[in-house]
Amino acid sequence: MGVPALLAGGPSASGTSATAPSNSSPEAGFARDMATHHQQAIDMSFIVRDRTQDSAVRNLAFDIINTQANQRGMLMGWLDHWGLPQSSGDQPMAWMKMDHTYVAHDGSLMPGMATNADLAKLRTLSGRDAEVFYLQLMVQHHKGGVEMAQGYVDVSTDPVEKRLAQTMVNGQLSEIDMITQMLAERGAKPLA
């Protein structure tokens, strides 16, 4: 079943939404921003997969790659279904209508995203050092993702999209707990 089945049951296809969301709507903004956020988690997971032989970290990376790639596909599919572009000139997370003081820098476009320098450093590490740094980056990344997904849950009116966002909140909170434990097993802690 997978992504095509979920898209077929998506917001507009279900007949419950008479019109597609606007280009500046929370639906479009969330789809774009979370897809961007997810892509970085996928990228980091591919990096660490090649930098360690630790089965627990490799399994986590595999799960993140698959889960977030599937969710990203749904988000991009919704934009396509709505006839909306996959990018816009809006500031990241502007759709949340909150006072965000986050300033994009060095490739970190939204809260929780790693910088280009972080990614470059991860590419130079191996073994335990790569594992710890990846896990630390992923805790921060998930915290930012949870904030964004919860922000969308709070404003969403579409049950399908809201359910996906709530699934993201629940899954990433659970992974934060697991990753924190994995760090402790390696004698490390999440970044401050």
Side-chain angles (χ1 to χ4, degrees):
M1 306 262 306
V3 174
L6 290 168
L7 286 175
S12 299
S14 67
T16 59
S17 178
T19 60
S22 73
N23 197 40
S24 61
S25 67
E27 292 82 7
F30 174 71
R32 289 181 186 118
D33 289 349
M34 189 56 81
T36 298
H37 210 268
H38 273 16
Q39 185 60 55
Q40 189 184 68
I42 294 164
D43 294 344
M44 288 192 299
S45 296
F46 273 119
I47 293 169
V48 79
R49 180 201 65 178
D50 297 337
R51 310 297 303 166
T52 183
Q53 293 304 310
D54 183 87
S55 61
V57 173
R58 288 175 61 94
N59 287 338
L60 173 66
F62 179 81
D63 287 345
I64 289 172
I65 290 166
N66 285 293
T67 300
Q68 295 204 11
N70 284 331
Q71 290 173 349
R72 188 177 189 286
M74 285 187 279
L75 297 166
M76 293 289 95
W78 287 344
L79 289 167
D80 184 57
H81 184 73
W82 297 328
L84 299 175
Q86 294 191 355
S87 62
S88 79
D90 294 343
Q91 290 292 324
M93 299 173 70
W95 56 269
M96 290 179 71
K97 310 286 189 240
M98 295 171 55
D99 291 330
H100 278 282
T101 58
Y102 191 80
V103 177
H105 62 287
D106 190 28
S108 178
L109 304 176
M110 293 168 257
M113 289 186 74
T115 63
N116 291 331
D118 292 332
L119 297 176
K121 177 180 176 182
L122 183 59
R123 286 184 186 97
T124 69
L125 302 174
S126 61
R128 182 192 170 282
D129 292 339
E131 296 161 22
V132 167
F133 193 53
Y134 167 75
L135 295 171
Q136 289 172 329
L137 291 176
M138 198 52 67
V139 167
Q140 295 303 108
H141 201 272
H142 276 5
K143 286 179 179 179
V146 166
E147 177 187 359
M148 188 188 328
Q150 186 61 57
Y152 185 69
V153 167
D154 294 345
V155 300
S156 176
T157 58
D158 185 280
V160 174
E161 295 167 45
K162 189 173 200 150
R163 187 170 47 250
L164 176 62
Q166 187 62 58
T167 297
M168 291 176 186
V169 170
N170 297 345
Q172 291 190 16
L173 285 173
S174 176
E175 282 187 352
I176 288 170
D177 291 342
M178 180 180 70
I179 293 168
T180 301
Q181 179 60 41
M182 291 172 75
L183 281 166
E185 291 166 2
R186 288 159 180 78
K189 295 181 180 180
L191 299 171

